[in-house]
Amino acid sequence: MAKINSAKELQAYKDEVVKKVEAAGKKEVAVCCGTGCQAYGAKDVVAAFQEEIKKQGLDDKVEIKPTGCHGFCERGTLVLMHPEKQLYQRVKPDAVAEIVEKTLKNGEIIEAHLYDNPATGEKHKLESEIPFYANQKRLILSNNGEIDPTSIDDYIAHGGYLGLAKSIEMGPEKTIAEVKEAKLRGRGGGGFPAGVKWELAAKQEADQKYIICNADEGDPGAFMDRSILEGNPQAVIEGMTIAALATGADTAYVYVRYEYPLAIERLTIALEQAREKGFIGENILGSGKNFEIKINKGGGAFVCGEETALIRSIEGKTGIPKPKPPFPAESGVFGKPTNINNVETYANVPGILREGAKWFTSMGTENSAGTKIFSLVGKVNNTGLVEVEMGMTLRDIIFKIGGGVPNGRKFKAVQTGGPSGGCLPESKLDLKVDFDSLTQEGSMMGSGGMIVMDDQTCMVDVCKYFLGFLKFESCGNCTTCREGLRRLHELVSLVADGKGDENTIPLIEELCETVEKGSLCALGTTGVNPVRSTLKYFRDEYEAHIKDKKCPAGVCTELITYEITDACTGCLVCKKRCPENCISGDKKQKHVIDTDKCIKCGICKDACKFDAVRIF
Amino acid sequence: MDTAKVEAIIKKHNGDATALLAIMQDVQAEENYLPREAVEHIAKKLEIPISRIYSMATFFESFHLEPRGKHICTVCMGTACHVRGAQRLVEQLERDLKVKSGGTSEDGLFTLEEVNCVGACALGPLVIVDGKYHGNTTSAKISKVVTEIQKVEGGK
Amino acid sequence: MTVEITINGVKAKAEKGESLLEVIRKYGFVVPSLCHHHAVEPCGSCRVCLVSVTDNGRTKLAASCNYKVREGLDVTTDSEEIRRNRAMVLELMLAESNAPQVQKLAAEYGVTSSRFSTEETKALAAERDGCILCGLCVRVCEEVVEVAALNFEGRGDKRDVGTPYQEAPQNCIACGACAYVCPTDCIGFVEEDGVRKLKKWKRELPMAKDPSGRPIAPQFQLYYFTQKAGLPADFYKKGGPGSR
């Protein structure tokens, strides 16, 4: 395959690809093959489509495209039919034959596969009619449902690498100025202006500079970076290449979690294709500049999401953060100037160059331009990846897009910003989400995890969960973080077990100050956010555990008992399932749980069809 | 582990000491854990103190210094799975497999592990058994999955 | 490059990149520390040397040992806030360590017992023999002795200091530098019956004797030194001036 040597050749190549696709006139069927859909069996759906297309003689009329994540994970496997963008959801392999026969061949709609809006009972044919999609602004994610991540031609047909060509034409200074003007802020958590970072790296005099892409997405409940790498890896490569030419770097590392094998696979293919076309490698697009990208698999340590720890890890050391300054832009990997941004940040860059800074700042808020991808998970109807303009309210995200809380339960809190973010209550739902507003309320943007909790979620338990996570993931160097988080976890566990007293909360608060002020990196300094925010907004729950020895949400096992109510029909199911054999009662007689022997595993409650097992 | 295999892996990375993490990962991919002979061999070849490799192997979650079970059960402990009751799945599997989370059963059949998040939050709570995702699972359902494997293994 | 900073209102000169703690001490101010030693890279582990630093308009508490001096820093080494936080750090440390050195420093900050102490912490402290996981032993072994017999293992609350596979490290020369720099005396360095022992590392090495029969140092240590310094192999056998 020939290299592309100039902007002109790129444009010509693009036109050629587009023309070829148009000439073929095939109907494209995009099957979501993100990790979520794959878990539902998307690969079998793809195989079934391919077989059925052949069988029914539609080879030259229909093209099956396995794509990256479309976002609506709740309803996978998703099948999106272009160009109408008609969406079938929850497609199973055995439904494929009928879809090919009726819809693809005869244009008939199969009602059973349409999205049925639980709120209105309406069925929607088009992706754009579904509230989950209608309320989003999908700059980055939209390509996930359009392009085959293993085909660079597909990316080019959608305007790929035009941003790079433009940047080469503009030169480093103007490129950096454009990114600064676009007010692109780091999507990995800190929200630091990317252009300012680039400028600092560009200013350094050095024989060698590096680019790093932080894909060590460690926040539990967050998977936007993975979905970008899986669905649109070329955008990240293009963004990194633009950054490299602007800062004068010639080598890059993508540090990606080892738990993301599919992302690594897709990225590897994408790098190969980009090299063949001359977008990376030697003499990029005829510019005379060289740039190489390598993949590093992370070792599995949350703290390596912190940039200095990540850099140490690339150097072949344990991930222990270093004080800043010096910043990585001054002294990064192997002591050389290094620009480090995360996946989503780089993925935003090509669009900014292609469409201009003004286009980008026309979206979002004054100080947070553009869009942000969130992973909306937990107790929410529409779990998935959502991309919205900065400044949308939490309420709109959770209720309009997310469809609210399932099973008629009541919304209690939303946790943003990963383990060191905070939990915000219902009274904060009208908060317009951007980098600054969340920090102001004691939470943070983080990388964009958004976990919804309902009235059956205990906030003391949630806080204990995050502290347990953080104490385990701390690198352990600072006494304040290692011992401080450990003791915070112990104290909150004490509360959860009903063993707290009037001194517990004051001691927790006192300790929070030192963990925050005395630790080096963000893991410690923001590690107190879950404690502070739950104490601030849900103090009554702590007090119920301490004073009344009760867990209002019915979660903390030390404070609850399982009992069987009169609704029991005596069906024996719970009795059979109980792992401790502590349920007694004959057939058709009300059963009784021996609370002394009960380990509160909840299996009886799950098993009961009559809702007769209650938590007290 | 065969020294020749370790040699080949080191060679693939051009004997570069900064590729230590990658070399260790490749060895583990081959053996499912990091055998001591391999650690010692890497140390010698790359002229890196064993203490540093040992430190890396215990710092990073992805490494195992002990052989793991034939079947690997991984419970996702991400926040979304947690609020949907993942902890109870761990407890159920601990009972079924007679092993504490993080450990390998005495017969060497099962290793029970936890992972921070695999990003398949729509399917939570989620258990991965030998690479297969069991989404929206319950104690009873996952119990069935592993007891099936136990039955097959026991029948041999 | 020389830069100017302010310490407690006093103008001070320092080299850019120098350890802030060392500059503070050079100017006669007292800041406590447990994990710092001038011979090795500072690592900011114990957090006792917290001071307040205003850098580029932002004021925050920071460990001074691994804070690299830059032009214009404005540093305060004592305040209510600083004392309060140092006291809390020491209270945390008191729950993980029973070392007299930690107790003494804690007492200076009015901390005589730890609210975090439990039966569990006491057992762990006894097992660790006072170790505060500062890693001075690790750093001196790697950076000064250049043997690297020790390292950290694990992370977070499971972090520990030790030898690979918890066995006596075969490359350890039993020089005792780790015991010398240890702020809590927890290595267990003894010489008895012509054998040098480092209890924490389970390392025992027989000692070479000078012509009068007095033990000098472990044979292996002498061998390592002769190799490292390019001395004649029989250098220490002669009992010359460099032998002790």
Side-chain angles (χ1 to χ4, degrees):
Chain A
M1 228 189 274
K3 275 194 176 188
I4 297 173
N5 290 308
S6 65
K8 218 172 135 191
E9 281 184 39
L10 174 62
Q11 188 61 50
Y13 186 80
K14 182 194 166 190
D15 294 344
E16 194 187 316
V17 174
V18 172
K19 212 190 278 166
K20 223 191 271 170
V21 173
E22 279 169 4
K26 280 185 173 180
K27 191 176 176 71
E28 285 180 354
V29 178
V31 181
C32 177
C33 287
T35 302
C37 283
Q38 284 208 6
Y40 288 122
K43 276 195 167 163
D44 297 335
V45 174
V46 171
F49 263 116
Q50 273 156 351
E51 199 192 311
E52 207 53 46
I53 296 281
K54 209 174 271 166
K55 224 198 245 164
Q56 304 200 24
L58 293 175
D59 275 28
D60 53 349
K61 294 211 176 70
V62 177
E63 164 106 23
I64 303 299
K65 247 188 207 182
T67 68
C69 176
H70 298 189
F72 203 3
C73 308
E74 189 70 41
R75 298 286 179 139
T77 297
L78 302 166
V79 174
L80 185 64
M81 288 161 284
H82 294 284
E84 307 89 347
K85 295 208 173 176
Q86 198 180 331
L87 181 77
Y88 280 169
Q89 41 109 57
R90 289 185 177 151
V91 175
K92 301 266 177 256
D94 56 16
V96 167
E98 195 193 356
I99 294 176
V100 173
E101 166 87 49
K102 288 195 175 156
T103 311
L104 296 180
K105 227 175 183 173
N106 304 322
E108 237 177 274
I109 302 269
I110 306 171
E111 291 253 329
H113 300 311
L114 295 179
Y115 172 79
D116 50 328
N117 190 338
T120 59
E122 242 178 305
K123 293 207 169 198
H124 298 299
K125 283 179 205 149
L126 303 183
E127 188 187 71
S128 58
E129 294 167 352
I130 299 169
F132 177 81
Y133 288 108
N135 293 293
Q136 295 190 45
K137 178 106 189 170
R138 295 162 71 87
L139 297 187
I140 296 177
L141 288 181
S142 62
N143 269 344
N144 272 19
E146 309 256 347
I147 62 177
D148 174 354
T150 60
S151 157
I152 195 168
D153 283 359
D154 238 12
Y155 182 64
I156 293 172
H158 286 81
Y161 289 102
L162 290 178
L164 173 65
K166 183 97 171 284
S167 151
I168 290 172
E169 191 188 300
M170 287 161 75
E173 272 133 63
K174 281 193 183 152
T175 299
I176 292 174
E178 196 75 24
V179 175
K180 272 174 84 176
E181 203 193 316
K183 296 187 189 167
L184 174 65
R185 293 173 68 170
R187 263 49 175 171
F192 194 80
V196 177
K197 255 191 190 181
W198 291 21
E199 193 171 45
L200 186 58
K203 263 202 325 223
Q204 307 297 316
E205 304 263 347
D207 55 344
Q208 164 100 61
K209 293 181 192 176
Y210 291 97
I211 294 286
I212 294 177
C213 174
N214 185 348
D216 194 40
E217 188 171 51
D219 291 4
F223 52 103
M224 39 265 145
D225 290 347
R226 192 194 61 192
S227 294
I228 297 171
L229 283 176
E230 286 177 4
N232 196 3
Q234 295 291 356
V236 182
I237 297 172
E238 185 180 355
M240 289 175 74
T241 312
I242 293 169
L245 298 189
T247 56
D250 65 3
T251 306
Y253 296 97
V254 182
Y255 189 87
V256 51
R257 275 181 85 186
Y258 79 101
E259 288 101 334
Y260 288 180
L262 186 61
I264 295 169
E265 187 190 312
R266 296 266 166 85
L267 188 61
T268 309
I269 296 170
L271 284 173
E272 202 128 312
Q273 293 181 346
R275 204 170 289 125
E276 274 173 16
K277 286 274 181 289
F279 298 126
I280 59 169
E282 282 176 14
N283 192 17
I284 297 164
L285 268 182
S287 65
K289 303 268 178 58
N290 308 330
F291 178 54
E292 204 33 77
I293 299 179
K294 298 173 189 168
I295 300 175
N296 270 57
K297 273 188 281 174
F302 174 71
V303 70
C304 287
E306 199 280 338
E307 51 190 22
T308 59
L310 187 152
I311 285 168
R312 280 211 190 183
S313 173
I314 289 181
E315 291 169 347
K317 300 175 190 158
T318 49
I320 300 196
K322 280 200 272 195
K324 293 185 278 190
F327 293 98
E330 301 160 308
S331 171
V333 71
F334 307 117
K336 302 292 182 189
T338 303
N339 180 67
I340 173 164
N341 289 121
N342 100 318
V343 172
E344 192 183 338
T345 315
Y346 284 125
N348 268 297
V349 170
I352 291 172
L353 268 294
R354 208 171 51 230
E355 312 288 336
K358 287 220 167 58
W359 164 80
F360 195 73
T361 51
S362 73
M363 295 168 286
T365 61
E366 173 71 29
N367 291 313
S368 303
T371 60
K372 177 77 191 88
I373 305 176
F374 293 98
S375 63
L376 189 58
V377 303
K379 304 282 188 70
V380 62
N381 272 314
N382 301 333
T383 296
L385 275 192
V386 307
E387 182 176 355
V388 298
E389 263 189 69
M390 297 266 193
M392 189 178 238
T393 64
L394 283 168
R395 190 184 301 279
D396 283 351
I397 298 174
I398 296 164
F399 289 89
K400 272 199 188 156
I401 298 174
V405 179
N407 306 325
R409 310 292 326 182
K410 202 172 162 315
F411 170 89
K412 184 191 268 184
V414 57
Q415 204 274 351
T416 70
S420 36
C423 298
L424 300 174
E426 186 161 19
S427 62
K428 297 290 173 196
L429 276 180
D430 292 312
L431 192 72
K432 289 187 160 68
V433 175
D434 69 14
F435 285 104
D436 310 308
S437 66
L438 286 171
T439 310
Q440 234 160 42
E441 297 298 341
S443 185
M444 56 187 209
M445 179 77 90
S447 60
M450 201 172 265
I451 296 135
V452 180
M453 298 164 187
D454 67 5
D455 55 352
Q456 286 181 311
T457 313
C458 168
M459 299 316 285
V460 177
D461 176 70
V462 163
C463 179
K464 183 177 122 181
Y465 164 81
F466 284 120
L467 287 169
F469 176 89
L470 291 167
K471 80 174 174 116
F472 178 72
E473 291 294 346
S474 158
C475 81
N477 190 47
C478 296
T479 303
T480 43
C481 182
R482 179 188 70 241
E483 297 301 317
L485 291 174
R486 185 210 309 244
R487 301 308 164 208
L488 280 175
H489 181 257
E490 276 174 13
L491 291 169
V492 173
S493 302
L494 219 57
V495 176
D497 291 349
K499 292 179 187 143
D501 58 29
E502 72 278 7
N503 298 322
T504 315
I505 293 180
L507 182 56
I508 289 174
E509 285 173 328
E510 207 185 317
L511 180 52
C512 277
E513 185 200 3
T514 303
V515 174
E516 183 195 11
K517 292 182 180 169
S519 305
L520 174 72
C521 81
L523 195 145
T525 57
T526 61
V528 299
N529 279 344
V531 189
R532 287 233 176 100
S533 64
T534 49
L535 269 175
K536 184 173 171 189
Y537 298 118
F538 304 97
R539 207 182 185 91
D540 54 331
E541 282 193 45
Y542 280 81
E543 280 165 357
H545 284 73
I546 293 171
K547 288 184 191 148
D548 314 332
K549 310 291 171 204
K550 282 258 179 299
C551 174
V555 173
C556 296
T557 50
E558 290 298 314
L559 300 180
I560 55 170
T561 48
Y562 281 85
E563 280 171 35
I564 296 175
T565 65
D566 290 341
C568 176
T569 62
C571 73
L572 300 175
V573 168
C574 63
K575 190 178 167 183
K576 274 185 213 148
R577 293 264 175 87
C578 176
E580 297 298 303
N581 293 321
C582 67
I583 299 176
S584 57
D586 292 330
K587 197 165 182 186
K588 293 196 173 163
Q589 297 217 323
K590 189 186 152 189
H591 298 346
V592 178
I593 298 174
D594 180 349
T595 44
D596 288 338
K597 277 167 76 187
C598 172
I599 56 166
K600 297 159 190 173
C601 66
I603 288 173
C604 52
K605 190 173 189 314
D606 291 345
C608 182
K609 288 193 189 99
F610 309 98
D611 199 22
V613 182
R614 287 289 171 89
I615 295 172
F616 290 95
Chain B
M1 182 183 187
D2 203 346
T3 11
K5 273 197 213 160
V6 187
E7 280 289 321
I9 289 168
I10 295 173
K11 210 166 165 193
K12 192 180 110 193
H13 294 279
N14 305 320
D16 182 0
T18 63
L20 179 58
L21 195 58
I23 292 170
M24 290 164 70
Q25 282 164 340
D26 286 358
V27 168
Q28 169 145 313
E30 192 92 23
E31 296 290 307
N32 226 356
Y33 81 111
L34 274 182
R36 183 164 176 172
E37 321 82 87
V39 169
E40 285 166 354
H41 195 76
I42 297 169
K44 201 165 106 192
K45 276 283 155 180
L46 300 185
E47 295 177 357
I48 293 172
I50 293 181
S51 63
R52 198 169 120 208
I53 304 181
Y54 189 78
S55 183
M56 299 264 288
T58 55
F59 184 92
F60 290 109
E61 197 53 20
S62 59
F63 296 113
H64 306 272
L65 290 165
E66 300 286 336
R68 290 196 289 164
K70 185 171 167 195
H71 302 281
I72 306 216
C73 260
T74 312
V75 184
C76 179
M77 296 300 278
T79 321
C81 289
H82 176 80
V83 298
R84 293 182 181 183
Q87 185 56 40
R88 280 166 43 188
L89 300 180
V90 175
E91 288 161 13
Q92 179 66 38
L93 288 169
E94 285 182 336
R95 282 192 295 270
D96 286 339
L97 305 176
K98 298 188 180 55
V99 60
K100 280 272 155 218
S101 176
T104 299
S105 61
E106 245 168 62
D107 54 8
L109 270 186
F110 284 96
T111 294
L112 177 59
E113 294 175 347
E114 294 173 21
V115 63
N116 286 338
C117 181
V118 293
C121 306
L123 287 83
L126 173 90
V127 180
I128 306 168
V129 182
D130 295 335
K132 190 170 185 297
Y133 285 56
H134 298 269
N136 295 317
T137 190
T138 61
S139 311
K141 279 196 223 162
I142 201 63
S143 190
K144 220 180 213 169
V145 172
V146 296
T147 40
E148 277 304 311
I149 300 178
Q150 279 171 329
K151 253 187 237 159
V152 171
E153 290 287 349
K156 273 181 194 165
Chain C
M1 192 174 71
T2 308
V3 294
E4 199 177 81
I5 65 170
T6 312
I7 307 171
N8 298 333
V10 177
K11 292 264 175 263
K13 283 202 172 13
E15 280 304 301
K16 190 181 174 198
E18 221 180 320
S19 155
L20 178 58
L21 177 65
E22 288 184 9
V23 178
I24 290 170
R25 287 181 171 170
K26 219 183 292 170
Y27 277 80
F29 297 105
V30 178
V31 168
S33 161
L34 290 166
C35 73
H36 186 63
H37 193 285
H38 62 85
V40 296
E41 275 292 309
C43 79
S45 157
C46 77
R47 314 309 281 179
V48 178
C49 68
L50 288 178
V51 295
S52 168
V53 186
T54 305
D55 187 356
N56 240 334
R58 275 191 62 204
T59 303
K60 57 175 184 186
L61 291 192
S64 53
C65 65
N66 65 347
Y67 204 104
K68 291 186 174 164
V69 169
R70 297 205 302 170
E71 179 67 43
L73 296 186
D74 190 350
V75 185
T76 308
T77 64
D78 198 7
S79 71
E80 212 297 291
E81 186 195 24
I82 294 168
R83 293 188 72 81
R84 185 172 73 232
N85 282 288
R86 281 188 199 151
M88 183 56 94
V89 172
L90 286 159
E91 189 173 347
L92 284 170
M93 216 179 265
L94 217 47
E96 65 163 343
S97 169
N98 53 12
Q101 294 87 339
V102 176
Q103 288 169 355
K104 185 168 166 279
L105 186 58
E108 285 174 30
Y109 282 82
V111 180
T112 50
S113 67
S114 178
R115 287 168 287 176
F116 308 112
S117 274
T118 60
E119 288 311 312
E120 214 176 307
T121 64
K122 279 178 199 154
L124 184 66
E127 193 188 312
R128 283 201 187 141
D129 226 0
C131 176
I132 55 166
L133 306 180
C134 73
L136 261 179
C137 50
V138 173
R139 285 175 282 156
V140 83
C141 188
E142 183 171 346
E143 296 172 31
V144 179
V145 189
E146 295 181 351
V147 164
L150 325 164
N151 213 323
F152 287 107
E153 56 188 65
R155 64 166 191 238
D157 60 344
K158 297 273 186 301
R159 187 184 224 210
D160 206 350
V161 134
T163 58
Y165 301 96
Q166 291 80 43
E167 291 173 5
Q170 292 310 300
N171 56 345
C172 169
I173 58 170
C175 67
C178 51
Y180 178 75
V181 295
C182 177
T184 60
D185 264 336
C186 70
I187 311 282
F189 175 97
V190 286
E191 287 177 354
E192 38 189 39
D193 307 329
V195 177
R196 183 179 288 173
K197 296 175 181 170
L198 294 165
K199 287 185 183 157
K200 194 174 170 74
W201 320 129
K202 303 183 184 115
R203 183 67 162 162
E204 295 186 6
L205 284 179
M207 293 169 72
K209 296 187 171 80
D210 73 3
S212 70
R214 283 186 312 169
I216 316 171
Q219 190 67 56
F220 188 43
Q221 179 186 344
L222 299 179
Y223 168 77
Y224 179 78
F225 283 176
T226 48
Q227 289 282 307
K228 198 107 198 156
L231 300 169
D234 61 351
F235 181 80
Y236 288 105
K237 287 206 180 111
K238 289 176 185 158
S243 67
R244 179 96 213 192

